[in-house]
Amino acid sequence: MGECSRQFRLVINNTAQAFPPIAGVYLITDQGDNLVERVRTALVGGVSALQYRAKDKSRETLLEEGRALKQLCKRAGVVFIVNDDIHLARELDADGVHLGQDDGGIAQAREILGSGRIVGKSTHDLDEAFQAEREGADYIGFGAMYPTDSKVVSHMPGTGGLAAIRDRIKLPVVAIGGITTSNACRVIDAGADAVAVISSVLSSHRPDIAVAELKLLFNRTCPYPRGSVLTVAGSDSGGGAGIQADIKTITLLGSYAASALTALTAQNTRGVSSIHGLPPSFVVDQIATVLADIPVDVIKTGMLHTAAIVSALAELLTERTVYIPLVIDPVMVSKGGTTLLDRDSIRVVLDQLLPHAYLLTPNIPEAERLLGRAIRSEADMEQAARDLHALGPANVLLKGGHLTGRQSIDILFDGYECREYAAERAFTSNTHGTGCTYASAIAAFLAQGEPLRCAVEKAKEYITDAIRLSHPLGKGHSPVNHFAAAQHGDRQP
């Protein structure tokens, strides 16, 4: 759970320092406008270190901008490092400096900055890495991994070069050069302790989400249970859906499950006989108490029951200073037809909660209620996914199980393109808990360090198997088979 990539304790001049380890997302500034505000947003996503890299700016501008960035980092508990300029680092009282191969020696930097400061060094091969280690660097930058537009790349050892030096270097390794959410997994798998990024974060419409996505990828190096998910949902006394299905799924797939109840239901496979909602203040207290202690990687919501609970949850998320990806399964109606979210609550979901969503996962009836129109074809689904995205979620997965046809097709829209996920349709009534299970599986795989597209693909395979391997249980809509699906193939952690 939480951050568990290779952990290093910085020891500078033989004195242990209070700096966090150089690990995770190492953000380097660009030359664009509104830098301070963009960095402010990025820090919310979970940046571990910020490197101030400025070109062609006056000394006055460097000091003003640098001081603003230093203050942001101090409040966020983020290491603040100046690129190349040792004297600027001293004037800004930076936590350290990062040196290129031609920017002076490590000993000189320590003499100017004084004791207790971090000094990093750019390297391109094993010899340079060994040299930096001998000279007393606290970490090395290594690359380039891929071509980049930020500078001319003359050395590109790539992930192969990184893997070759990883076990021979004791220092934290920051991989640099052309790293994005699309290729960062390969870099982390090759042994990077941190990834240096610029445009993939600072040019993003949502820098906080871009950072959070990269940060989660480092969980792929964790032992099991890998990553943690907080599910906020109603209880299903029959055990097939709701918070019970969430916890089963998250646990069986190898993540840690925490929970916050919104309502108690008396139900079985035939339907819901009664609902007892919990006070919104108690729902929020459950969530806040968990978040104050347990390092939650992803929050997943199911049945939220009332407008007051939805509003209270949205307010709590607004007040948080650290972004946690939120997967919203907009549970509205039970399999037996009982309304689980009234019309007033739907409006609050649209206005207050959807803008917080990392991923929204409606089925077709839910999407129709959110949009107020019918969805009858795959073309309708694609347009609906785009329209739902315009309401605020960063990503939308529209599930097509309610359409007819040989295949069940889901559509993921990330704001740029649509991607289809298809599976052979199983003609069975054993589908109780399908939506809860699918969304929880996605949340678990995200928490384990899978990129969104891969997380959805793996979750689609899991829910397809859970339906296919289900057995009749009870006299109504039987639940999916969480256990058998988790045992199938190579899913067992």
Side-chain angles (χ1 to χ4, degrees), residues 24-205:
V25 182
Y26 183 109
L27 180 61
I28 301 175
T29 60
D30 63 14
Q31 312 305 312
D33 296 332
N34 302 315
L35 176 62
V36 174
E37 287 307 310
R38 287 184 291 126
V39 168
R40 188 195 308 274
T41 304
L43 294 184
V44 173
V47 171
S48 60
L50 177 72
Q51 183 189 121
Y52 181 39
R53 180 170 176 252
K55 299 178 181 178
D56 303 322
K57 293 183 179 181
S58 68
R59 200 68 177 177
E60 181 181 1
T61 299
L62 290 174
L63 290 172
E64 180 182 359
E65 193 171 63
R67 285 170 182 147
L69 294 173
K70 167 67 188 299
Q71 191 62 28
L72 288 179
C73 289
K74 183 178 180 180
R75 287 199 295 265
V78 171
V79 174
F80 178 62
I81 294 171
V82 171
N83 182 64
D84 294 348
D85 193 331
I86 301 172
H87 297 284
L88 178 61
R90 184 178 62 180
E91 287 185 77
L92 293 174
D93 191 28
D95 298 320
V97 67
H98 183 85
L99 303 174
Q101 283 292 308
D102 302 320
D103 296 325
I106 294 169
Q108 178 191 13
R110 295 213 185 282
E111 182 178 350
I112 294 173
L113 294 179
S115 62
R117 304 293 172 171
I118 302 169
V119 181
K121 188 80 171 182
S122 291
T123 63
H124 310 94
D125 55 39
L126 183 60
D127 289 339
E128 290 181 355
F130 275 148
Q131 181 66 26
E133 195 169 55
R134 285 193 298 269
E135 291 179 2
D138 297 303
Y139 72 93
I140 61 169
F142 188 81
M145 296 294 104
Y146 304 100
T148 175
D149 294 331
S150 64
K151 63 192 306 183
V152 176
V153 175
S154 56
H155 302 84
M156 195 167 70
T159 54
L162 173 59
I165 75 160
R166 176 59 273 179
D167 292 335
R168 303 184 67 180
I169 296 296
K170 297 182 177 64
L171 298 175
V173 177
V174 179
I176 59 177
I179 299 171
T180 67
T181 52
S182 299
N183 59 35
C185 288
R186 293 191 291 274
V187 178
I188 294 168
D189 291 343
D193 301 294
V195 291
V197 288
I198 306 176
S199 59
S200 62
V201 168
L202 292 177
S203 294
S204 170
H205 175 64

Side-chain angles (χ1 to χ4, degrees), residues 4-8 21-23 166-167 172 188-193 218 221:
C4 57
S5 56
R6 299 175 184 86
Q7 296 294 302
F8 294 85
I22 300 295
R166 176 59 273 179
D167 292 335
I188 294 168
D189 291 343
D193 301 294
F218 282 89
T221 66

Side-chain angles (χ1 to χ4, degrees), residues 91-409:
E91 287 185 77
L92 293 174
D93 191 28
D95 298 320
V97 67
H98 183 85
L99 303 174
Q101 283 292 308
D102 302 320
D103 296 325
I106 294 169
Q108 178 191 13
R110 295 213 185 282
E111 182 178 350
I112 294 173
L113 294 179
S115 62
R117 304 293 172 171
I118 302 169
V119 181
K121 188 80 171 182
S122 291
T123 63
H124 310 94
D125 55 39
L126 183 60
D127 289 339
E128 290 181 355
F130 275 148
Q131 181 66 26
E133 195 169 55
R134 285 193 298 269
E135 291 179 2
D138 297 303
Y139 72 93
I140 61 169
F142 188 81
M145 296 294 104
Y146 304 100
T148 175
D149 294 331
S150 64
K151 63 192 306 183
V152 176
V153 175
S154 56
H155 302 84
M156 195 167 70
T159 54
L162 173 59
I165 75 160
R166 176 59 273 179
D167 292 335
R168 303 184 67 180
I169 296 296
K170 297 182 177 64
L171 298 175
V173 177
V174 179
I176 59 177
I179 299 171
T180 67
T181 52
S182 299
N183 59 35
C185 288
R186 293 191 291 274
V187 178
I188 294 168
D189 291 343
D193 301 294
V195 291
V197 288
I198 306 176
S199 59
S200 62
V201 168
L202 292 177
S203 294
S204 170
H205 175 64
R206 287 290 303 271
D208 52 344
I209 291 179
V211 170
E213 287 181 318
L214 287 164
K215 181 182 176 183
L216 275 181
L217 299 181
F218 282 89
N219 280 0
R220 61 197 300 107
T221 66
C222 297
Y224 288 101
R226 180 175 291 170
S228 58
V229 179
L230 168 61
T231 171
V232 183
S235 169
D236 172 5
S237 57
I243 214 157
Q244 286 84 352
D246 295 349
I247 293 173
K248 289 175 187 177
T249 300
I250 295 162
T251 302
L252 286 168
L253 291 178
S255 295
Y256 179 81
S259 62
L261 282 168
T262 59
L264 308 177
T265 70
Q267 67 173 295
N268 53 30
T269 64
R270 290 182 293 179
V272 179
S273 62
S274 61
I275 302 175
H276 177 70
L278 296 176
S281 60
F282 181 65
V283 175
V284 170
D285 192 28
Q286 292 177 78
I287 299 169
T289 302
V290 170
L291 295 178
D293 179 49
I294 297 173
V296 171
D297 295 299
V298 178
I299 299 173
K300 180 263 176 187
T301 65
M303 174 189 177
L304 297 177
H305 188 46
T306 66
I309 290 176
V310 175
S311 184
L313 173 59
E315 183 177 359
L316 181 148
L317 295 173
T318 300
E319 293 172 349
R320 284 193 57 79
T321 58
V322 177
Y323 177 83
I324 301 176
L326 173 66
V327 175
I328 296 178
D329 180 25
V331 177
M332 298 180 185
V333 180
S334 73
K335 192 70 69 178
T338 302
T339 298
L340 302 177
L341 194 69
D342 60 30
R343 188 174 299 276
D344 290 340
S345 300
I346 293 173
R347 174 49 54 189
V348 178
V349 168
L350 288 168
D351 293 342
Q352 298 183 29
L353 194 59
L354 289 195
H356 292 284
Y358 174 69
L359 176 67
L360 177 69
T361 66
N363 58 32
I364 286 178
E366 290 162 348
E368 289 177 332
R369 294 189 71 183
L370 289 170
L371 293 172
R373 68 172 189 262
I375 299 171
R376 298 189 176 91
S377 65
E378 288 179 30
D380 288 348
M381 284 181 64
E382 180 172 328
Q383 187 58 52
R386 293 176 182 274
D387 292 343
L388 287 167
H389 179 271
L391 297 176
N395 304 277
V396 175
L397 177 68
L398 182 50
K399 299 171 293 187
H402 287 78
L403 292 183
T404 58
R406 187 174 60 84
Q407 289 191 317
S408 174
I409 296 176

